[in-house]
Amino acid sequence: MMRHPGKGASLGRVAAAYVVAFGAATVWLVVGPDTPWLWLDGLIADLIATLIIFGASRMHANSSFYDAYWSVLPPYLAVYWWIAGGLGIGDVRAWLVVAVIVVWAVRLTANWVSSFPGLHHEDWRYPMIREQAGRYGTVADLVAIHLIPTLQVFLGLLPVYVALVRPTRGVGWLDWVALVVGLGAVALELAADTQMRRFLRSHQPGQVMDQGLWGWSRHPNYLGEIGFWLSLALFGIAASPRDWWWMSAGTVVMIAMFLGASIPMMEKRSLERRPEYGAVIDRVPKLLPRPPRRTVG
């Protein structure tokens, strides 16, 4: 039987893989051939880092190596675009955008670190994806678990590229709305995750979480995540209003992912493991919060 390292050693291996991945991405950005567009330079670096993390995932037979990539990549690309775009250290919008991204990234990464038990654990969805792909399991791992999420996040970051590289107008009221939405989304995610951790420490077998924020929405953490990506779209629209028609594409993709894949998979698993969850579905809305329906009888 394969022996897995403990949590500390596991986190050390994951951190080492990320140092290599982002080191390689940085080498590409610094000494590699430039393309005509900074966004394309960023995308190539992003894909290089993703492929290295994929290699580490396969080396350790654990695709949860990729989980933290979702939150580590955005501040990296944002800072690169800010520096390479030439806005300067005094640009107010740049500070607002990067501040929201950093606060979100620190919280989400810290939440992953605190909940990651070690390399003996892998997100339950990943083996299922590989098994469904049969002999193409490795291809499914690369595409579905690594590349598609990378491209989704990159699409969600394109408004940040506009705000940091080619803004057409100065800071206005919409920037401050975007700031409030972004920080509010992070606060919502923090509160939801804190309440869930407390529940998991004291819940009884088969018990379902329907208290606090989870009594108003079955997935308040996903609602907060959507709010964060919406805030980035608002920053992009504030920077270049004429591009409003495509700025929300990343947010739409995130909503589609949560509603079309993440939430259905989570709820199916919850119903299989906790039949009482059906009653929660009956009285608590899926995403947008409202007071729960009263139980009849």
Side-chain angles (χ1 to χ4, degrees), residues 43-256:
L43 177 58
I44 294 172
D46 191 359
L47 292 173
I48 289 172
T50 298
L51 291 175
I52 292 174
I53 296 301
F54 169 71
S57 296
R58 291 301 83 225
M59 185 183 303
H60 291 82
N62 190 329
S63 292
S64 281
F65 256 81
Y66 182 83
D67 289 350
Y69 195 82
W70 183 280
S71 57
V72 173
L73 183 278
Y76 174 85
L77 270 188
V79 170
Y80 163 68
W81 283 333
W82 187 3
I83 294 172
L87 276 185
I89 195 69
D91 188 85
V92 175
R93 178 181 291 116
W95 280 105
L96 298 180
V97 174
V98 172
V100 169
I101 292 174
V102 168
V103 169
W104 167 84
V106 169
R107 191 217 69 83
L108 190 54
T109 306
N111 184 67
W112 176 80
V113 170
S114 66
S115 60
F116 179 61
L119 287 174
H120 63 278
H121 167 82
E122 184 180 31
D123 189 297
W124 60 272
R125 291 166 290 192
Y126 300 160
M128 183 176 66
I129 290 172
R130 292 192 296 267
E131 289 170 6
Q132 290 176 346
R135 61 178 180 173
Y136 300 106
T138 301
V139 175
D141 194 325
L142 172 62
V143 176
I145 299 174
H146 292 79
L147 290 180
I148 288 179
T150 286
L151 295 176
Q152 287 177 320
V153 169
F154 189 84
L155 182 61
L157 288 173
L158 286 180
V160 175
Y161 170 80
V162 172
L164 296 177
V165 175
R166 54 181 186 86
T168 61
R169 65 188 307 175
V171 173
W173 64 270
L174 190 55
D175 292 284
W176 300 105
V177 171
L179 177 69
V180 171
V181 170
L183 295 180
V186 174
L188 174 60
E189 289 183 290
L190 175 62
D193 286 341
T194 299
Q195 290 176 3
M196 180 57 76
R197 278 197 298 272
R198 290 173 179 168
F199 168 76
L200 292 175
R201 286 197 296 264
S202 59
H203 77 291
Q204 301 298 318
Q207 187 178 359
V208 295
M209 174 55 155
D210 60 353
Q211 303 298 313
L213 293 171
W214 300 84
W216 287 63
S217 168
R218 301 202 299 273
H219 302 279
N221 52 339
Y222 288 159
L223 179 61
E225 188 69 11
I226 291 170
F228 165 74
W229 295 103
L230 174 61
S231 75
L232 300 189
L234 294 177
F235 276 121
I237 294 171
S240 185
R242 66 189 179 191
D243 294 316
W244 64 269
W245 57 275
W246 67 265
M247 289 286 190
S248 297
T251 305
V252 171
V253 168
M254 294 295 177
I255 293 173

